[in-house]
Amino acid sequence: MKLFGTQIGNVLTILQMKIYFTLAFLISVTVLQAQNIKVYFNQSVDNSASSITDARTSSHLEDTICSLINSANITVDIAVWDNGSAAIISALNNAYNRGVQVRYISSSNSLNSALSGLNSNISLLERNSTLASNVMHNKFVIVDNALLLTGSMNFGNGSMEDDYNNIVIVSNTALAQNYTAEFNEMWGSTAAAPNLSNSKFGPAKADNTIHSFNIGGIVIQNYFSPTDNTSNQIVNAINSADYSLDIAMFTFTDNDIGDAVVAAKNRGVNVRCIMENSNYFGSEYNSLVSNGIATFSHVNIANDFHHKYCIIDAMHGSSDPIVVTGSHNWSNSAEDEYDENILIINSEIIANQYTEEFLQRFSEFGSVGINETGKINCYTIYPNPNSGDFFIESTNKNYSLDIVNLLGEQVLSEKNSTVKRFSLPKGIYFIKITSEDKRESLQKVIVN
């Protein structure tokens, strides 16, 4: 019997080792796949949020852009709405001086304070933006038709250093050439100088690029506005959400996308949103709030929350995690008039990296960006912060209370209690109090 038991133990040990090595192999393959796609955030992230990856953060993304340009041997194509960086202009001039073909597209309605330093021999094309709707709003760089940088970040010092932004660098010739095709359509030629008679911007362009790529095992979709029905592609991505949808958006006025977000909430998806321009005409902010979606406004907080991304099912690897990011705000202008681009990235690793950024912002803004529909003053939460135990005391027991953690998971629910003691593990929580007359208050609680 002892021998038999030993044999069983050996078999179990071998099985455990096989399972361990299989899991390690799968994780290593996933990490290797993601190496072709590098994401950077210019503000702090919460690296404790994910157990499978750490998001990269840098306050010196200007250096990253310059390094990319410095690596060019043949071509640099740059399409960016605003550039206030003398260092980036210097890198472009140096590239031109060593024989690299440099082409530059911008928009006439931008400050572009550094462009005066661009070598006059470098061809520059600006979309005529005398109308507010005629805006070249892209932010991308293509190096040697092989490396692509895109994202939400303009190249002004405020955008790179102070505002909240993300960039994506992809090493893939096929995707880079897809962006080159879009660049050439705006440029009007494939040559060093633009062809103004053939140059097309906005609705004059055609849907003539490839939309799906497999990059090291990661499926990426690529769409350009206003020709590729980009908003509809975003709606399709949102409709795929099974568990969670986190939205980080500068401007959100597109009704169709708003309806898709509300529909996701109504089918049980945990939806959260941080929005900058919550008071814009036509903003979806009030609609999201009235439909019970946790929506924080950044409008009265310093610097711009300039992201344009959403994360779908990040912590649910079996449910095809997705990140949508790029220059395209969720607005009618982006859909119908502006020159924009997005990537839809199907990757658990990338989705977890964006989640580490989102949760850091959600935690920071939670105490100042919370919408309250008629603040309730009948309750007190103390102590806050605390070491694990705290109380909620109310002068009116006719209310409901819900506590969720940073991942949006409900920790507990309570009704009709005047004094209640809670004990929670270390972390950050959000407590929503709903009164009998449907007024709501939301407060962040920190457990150290």
Side-chain angles (χ1 to χ4, degrees):
M1 291 294 291
K2 183 176 180 181
L3 178 61
F4 182 68
T6 302
Q7 290 173 335
I8 292 175
N10 290 338
V11 170
L12 290 173
T13 300
I14 292 171
L15 287 173
Q16 289 171 343
M17 290 179 65
K18 285 183 176 180
I19 291 170
Y20 171 80
F21 285 118
T22 300
L23 290 173
F25 173 76
L26 290 174
I27 291 172
S28 64
V29 168
T30 304
V31 171
L32 287 172
Q33 288 173 341
Q35 286 181 349
N36 291 324
I37 308 165
K38 295 181 179 179
V39 177
Y40 296 90
F41 303 96
N42 67 335
Q43 304 294 340
S44 61
V45 298
D46 180 3
N47 283 144
S48 68
S50 171
S51 61
I52 65 171
T53 186
D54 280 338
R56 302 176 182 91
T57 180
S58 173
S59 58
H60 302 287
L61 290 182
E62 180 182 55
D63 294 346
T64 303
I65 297 166
C66 289
S67 177
L68 192 71
I69 295 168
N70 291 340
S71 72
N73 295 309
I74 305 169
T75 60
V76 174
D77 291 332
I78 175 171
V80 63
W81 180 72
D82 183 55
N83 192 338
S85 168
I88 292 174
I89 294 299
S90 177
L92 291 171
N93 290 340
N94 291 338
Y96 176 82
N97 290 335
R98 66 175 183 269
V100 174
Q101 175 184 283
V102 179
R103 305 187 297 176
Y104 199 121
I105 297 177
S106 190
S107 193
S108 67
N109 70 331
S110 177
L111 182 61
N112 272 325
S113 59
L115 270 187
S116 60
L118 189 70
N119 188 316
S120 60
N121 293 311
I122 295 175
S123 294
L124 168 65
L125 175 62
E126 291 185 328
R127 181 180 181 183
N128 186 348
S129 303
T130 51
L131 297 176
S133 59
N134 296 339
V135 178
M136 201 299 299
H137 195 246
N138 285 301
K139 308 97 170 46
F140 67 77
V141 181
I142 314 157
V143 171
D144 292 342
N145 280 318
L147 280 172
L148 167 72
L149 181 150
T150 187
S152 67
M153 190 176 73
N154 290 299
F155 295 171
N157 291 331
S159 190
M160 291 187 294
E161 297 174 6
D162 301 323
D163 299 337
Y164 297 87
N165 279 297
N166 70 95
I167 62 170
V168 184
I169 299 176
V170 184
S171 177
N172 181 265
T173 299
L175 183 61
Q177 289 179 347
N178 210 49
Y179 273 78
T180 300
E182 175 73 5
F183 186 98
N184 287 339
E185 187 173 25
M186 294 184 290
W187 195 249
S189 79
T190 60
N195 182 338
L196 299 182
S197 63
N198 198 39
S199 171
K200 295 180 176 64
F201 289 99
K205 295 183 301 183
D207 181 359
N208 55 9
T209 54
I210 300 168
H211 296 309
S212 185
F213 301 83
N214 190 309
I215 300 176
I218 295 175
V219 175
I220 293 184
Q221 298 174 61
N222 176 212
Y223 298 97
F224 297 99
S225 306
T227 56
D228 298 1
N229 294 313
T230 302
S231 292
N232 189 53
Q233 310 306 327
I234 296 170
V235 167
N236 290 339
I238 292 170
N239 289 343
S240 75
D242 295 317
Y243 299 98
S244 64
L245 170 62
D246 290 329
I247 302 164
M249 197 57 50
F250 183 66
T251 302
F252 188 175
T253 59
D254 189 299
N255 291 335
D256 290 338
I257 301 179
D259 290 344
V261 172
V262 172
K265 167 67 165 56
N266 291 338
R267 68 174 180 268
V269 176
N270 177 45
V271 182
R272 298 177 294 186
C273 179
I274 305 171
M275 190 187 305
E276 176 69 34
N277 294 316
S278 57
N279 57 359
Y280 269 24
F281 179 77
S283 172
E284 293 294 304
Y285 179 78
N286 289 332
S287 174
L288 300 187
V289 170
S290 64
N291 279 280
I293 294 172
T295 307
F296 293 172
S297 170
H298 189 261
V299 70
N300 293 318
I301 306 173
N303 304 315
D304 284 342
F305 187 72
H306 198 245
H307 291 299
K308 304 98 170 48
Y309 73 73
C310 75
I311 317 161
I312 297 166
D313 293 344
M315 301 298 178
H316 301 273
S318 62
S319 187
D320 191 18
I322 292 172
V323 169
V324 181
T325 189
S327 68
H328 184 110
N329 284 296
W330 291 3
S331 69
N332 297 327
S333 296
E335 173 64 11
D336 299 329
E337 298 289 345
Y338 292 5
D339 298 293
E340 308 274 13
N341 73 94
I342 66 164
L343 296 178
I344 301 177
I345 306 171
N346 295 60
S347 166
E348 183 180 11
I349 292 287
I350 303 300
N352 273 248
Q353 290 175 357
Y354 273 83
T355 296
E356 291 196 329
E357 201 277 339
F358 183 86
L359 293 184
Q360 181 69 23
R361 304 287 83 78
F362 200 79
S363 171
E364 288 176 1
F365 304 155
S367 59
V368 289
I370 296 171
N371 178 81
E372 297 182 320
T373 56
K375 187 174 181 180
I376 307 168
N377 295 314
C378 66
Y379 74 95
T380 304
I381 300 175
Y382 63 93
N384 186 21
N386 61 79
S387 58
D389 293 329
F390 64 95
F391 295 85
I392 297 180
E393 182 175 342
S394 175
T395 58
N396 179 0
K397 70 177 184 177
N398 294 320
Y399 69 89
S400 61
L401 176 152
D402 296 286
I403 301 180
V404 298
N405 61 20
L406 256 185
L407 294 178
E409 301 164 334
Q410 188 172 60
V411 175
L412 55 85
S413 182
E414 182 76 22
K415 288 185 177 180
N416 304 331
S417 177
T418 53
V419 180
K420 182 73 177 181
R421 177 176 178 173
F422 297 91
S423 295
L424 295 175
K426 181 180 178 180
I428 296 174
Y429 301 88
F430 291 92
I431 299 177
K432 183 173 77 170
I433 306 286
T434 305
S435 68
E436 195 175 22
D437 58 0
K438 304 303 182 183
R439 289 179 297 148
E440 292 180 355
S441 278
L442 193 66
Q443 186 165 339
K444 182 169 71 174
V445 172
I446 300 173
V447 179
N448 296 316

